[in-house]
Amino acid sequence: MNNINDNLTKALKTVQKMIGPTALQKCYIDLDAAARMADFSTDLGIRRCLVISDSNTRAAAGEHVFLALRYAGNGTTDLVLKMEPLEATIEIAEFVTEKAANLDGIVAVGAGTLSDLAKYAGNKLQKPVLLYATAPSMNGYTSSIVALRIKGLKQTIPVKPASGVFADPEVLVAAPSRMIAAGFADYLSKSSASADWAVAHMLRSEPYQPEAFEFYKGIYDELLSLASEIGAGKPEAITKLMQGLLLSGLSMLAAGASSPVSGGEHLISHYLDMKSAFEGVSHDLHGAQVGVATIQTLSLWQQILNTGPTSIDPEKLSSNYPSEKDIEAAIEEDWGPVAKTILEQWRPKSRTPHEIRMELEVFKSRADEFLGMIRKEMETPQKIAQAIQAVGGPITAKELTIRERDFQKAISNARFLRNRFTVLDLAAELGLIPPFYDSGN
Ligand SMILES: [Zn+2]
């Protein structure tokens, strides 16, 4: 395990070189993670802390953490969040904030939801947060953003990162296999999101820092090759996955945004989450949705790579592109009473047919060089699907616990949810997908 922890320490130093001092000071994976976390909490001057968990994570790892903290002389207040299902909403985040107000710090025992609740509260109170990860299920442990539901809308909020992230391989291995598969799929979103970020830079001048991909070097290919072992629950492979997820979070921390790992595939997942919140249908695990969506967005990239620039006809494509009025009508139809909030996200990204023609001219003139560059790095959707399947994760919308037609709608309509240019926008402009979902009414 020494190698892994040395590598994580080195990666943290690289982040500090890139962005200066950061609250995140320690990432540690080993069998003595609980004791190390307790010692670290003492180093941070935490005397009394709030420990949040849910019924499952409390049973999986809670006792271990309490014993270690108490042994280190730390007074603990136990808060088990029993809401079923537990979601990261602003109301619950504010509740946690209130409970931690008179204590020195917060420890979250859990995965994505509990981490986000703790990071939000710690940021608001300006108190240190320690994360005791119970599953390698997503890449947000080390990031400086949280995803919270505010009035039903999933919003990404910048926060101070946790001060330390700790994980015990024995706890990780015992996590539900579908959570492990979800983490693996979330990790692979980079394969499509990295190209989205590059094209957003070229066409919409979004700030782009390819150095953020530093944290994938070496380990990305290794994890792809470990898919079957992760699926078989081999401790070493699962520990490696956790390492990869922590490093993936560092790429977001270094970029100061989720852009390196979150493009069109994440928008599709957000769309499914929001349909779930507003229409009461079920959603699936974040990473499970992201995995199926990544296969979809990679297919779009593959179509773009195969089309080639010469057949792009900006004049014809832009004249076929719908008017803003038609798009707004489609958003109203899809979202009803909350359409207004979605329009606020969409409008800054919206372009007139004339502007789209200009944009496609730029894309066409630079496509050879650009596509040549991304072709070298991009995986095929088949390869990613095989890897996710080897881990036991879902690869089609049918296998997700969602309303299936929402996935189809999301391919066209998810791009309206956020002012971030992705392959979904490019594919709509190139006429590869309908520019909005037409319900046929
Ligand atoms: Zn994700």
Side-chain angles (χ1 to χ4, degrees):
M1 226 61 80
N2 279 345
N3 276 347
I4 286 187
N5 288 312
D6 288 349
N7 172 277
L8 287 167
T9 307
K10 229 166 96 190
L12 269 174
K13 286 206 178 111
T14 307
V15 172
Q16 281 156 6
K17 244 186 251 156
M18 287 177 178
I19 61 166
T22 159
L24 181 61
Q25 292 165 42
K26 200 162 180 61
C27 293
Y28 184 82
I29 312 174
D30 211 337
L31 297 169
D32 60 348
R36 288 295 191 102
M37 181 174 76
D39 289 344
F40 186 61
S41 77
T42 310
D43 295 346
L44 290 175
I46 300 175
R47 294 282 164 266
R48 297 166 311 143
C49 64
L50 179 72
V51 183
I52 64 167
S53 59
D54 65 26
S55 313
N56 294 326
T57 63
R58 180 76 173 77
E63 219 47 59
H64 231 57
V65 172
F66 279 103
L67 280 173
L69 285 169
R70 284 188 199 129
Y71 187 72
N74 203 323
T76 52
T77 303
D78 191 2
L79 178 63
V80 185
L81 297 163
K82 291 192 173 142
M83 307 77 172
E84 283 278 351
L86 179 64
E87 306 257 2
T89 64
I90 187 75
E91 291 79 15
I92 301 177
E94 289 294 346
F95 174 68
V96 171
T97 309
E98 216 175 279
K99 292 283 178 195
N102 297 319
L103 302 168
D104 308 322
I106 306 167
V107 173
V109 179
T113 305
L114 284 146
S115 297
D116 280 1
L117 293 170
K119 283 199 286 181
Y120 174 87
N123 182 66
K124 191 158 180 189
L125 298 166
Q126 287 301 302
K127 289 181 180 181
V129 170
L130 300 176
L131 304 177
Y132 189 83
T134 53
S137 55
M138 52 97 223
N139 61 4
Y141 291 111
T142 46
S143 78
S144 54
I145 44 178
V146 295
L148 282 191
R149 216 167 72 204
I150 303 172
K151 289 186 195 142
L153 279 176
K154 191 125 186 176
Q155 300 202 15
T156 306
I157 305 170
V159 294
K160 218 164 76 168
S163 299
V165 184
F166 297 81
D168 178 341
E170 270 186 7
V171 175
L172 300 178
V173 169
S177 56
R178 46 185 219 99
M179 287 186 84
I180 297 170
F184 181 73
D186 197 28
Y187 182 78
L188 297 182
S189 69
K190 174 254 177 196
S191 57
S192 178
S194 55
D196 286 18
W197 195 22
V199 82
H201 173 64
M202 175 171 78
L203 297 179
R204 299 282 172 107
S205 309
E206 191 172 311
Y208 181 59
Q209 300 142 273
E211 316 82 74
F213 294 115
E214 180 70 27
F215 306 99
Y216 282 85
K217 283 196 184 128
I219 187 166
Y220 178 83
D221 290 330
E222 193 184 353
L223 275 175
L224 262 180
S225 71
L226 283 174
S228 324
E229 270 115 289
I230 294 169
K234 297 255 170 72
E236 271 174 32
I238 286 171
T239 305
K240 198 78 194 169
L241 170 61
M242 187 66 192
Q243 182 194 2
L245 289 168
L246 296 183
L247 291 168
S248 167
L250 293 186
S251 68
M252 292 191 259
L253 185 59
S258 61
S259 312
V261 296
S262 170
E265 76 299 323
H266 271 75
L267 289 180
I268 291 175
S269 176
H270 292 334
Y271 183 93
L272 299 172
D273 290 341
M274 280 174 48
K275 279 288 161 192
S276 161
F278 283 113
E279 297 181 22
V281 291
S282 61
H283 62 82
D284 209 319
L285 288 171
H286 169 79
Q289 293 179 167
V290 166
V292 176
T294 301
I295 296 165
Q296 181 67 47
T297 50
L298 282 176
S299 304
L300 291 174
W301 271 119
Q302 205 171 48
Q303 279 184 62
I304 294 168
L305 286 168
N306 291 342
T307 309
T310 42
S311 58
I312 297 172
D313 183 345
E315 190 180 345
K316 191 167 153 223
L317 288 167
S318 59
S319 67
N320 289 342
Y321 194 80
S323 69
E324 181 57 19
K325 203 167 139 259
D326 289 344
I327 290 182
E328 294 200 359
I331 295 173
E332 303 265 357
E333 187 191 307
D334 199 9
W335 291 104
V338 287
K340 199 170 151 270
T341 329
I342 289 160
L343 285 168
E344 277 166 23
Q345 288 294 318
W346 164 245
R347 281 191 183 127
K349 192 167 75 168
S350 163
R351 296 291 184 270
T352 63
H354 175 71
E355 289 166 329
I356 288 198
R357 181 177 167 175
M358 297 293 120
E359 187 155 88
L360 289 172
E361 296 283 6
V362 173
F363 183 72
K364 182 172 176 159
S365 69
R366 298 185 56 187
D368 267 333
E369 181 199 348
F370 176 78
L371 296 177
M373 183 187 83
I374 66 165
R375 188 177 278 118
K376 270 192 269 164
E377 303 233 331
M378 188 167 273
E379 312 290 349
T380 62
Q382 292 80 4
K383 183 170 175 187
I384 295 298
Q386 268 169 14
I388 295 176
Q389 209 163 27
V391 173
I395 58 166
T396 60
K398 219 184 202 53
E399 295 164 79
L400 294 171
T401 58
I402 59 161
R403 190 169 57 190
E404 209 185 320
R405 74 180 147 92
D406 286 339
F407 192 88
Q408 217 42 50
K409 282 171 94 172
I411 294 167
S412 288
N413 285 8
R415 68 194 189 101
F416 305 132
L417 297 181
R418 192 155 183 212
N419 180 16
R420 171 173 289 178
F421 191 83
T422 73
V423 70
L424 301 175
D425 298 292
L426 183 62
E429 292 180 14
L430 289 170
L432 301 174
I433 54 172
F436 57 79
Y437 182 83
D438 189 351
S439 63
N441 291 337

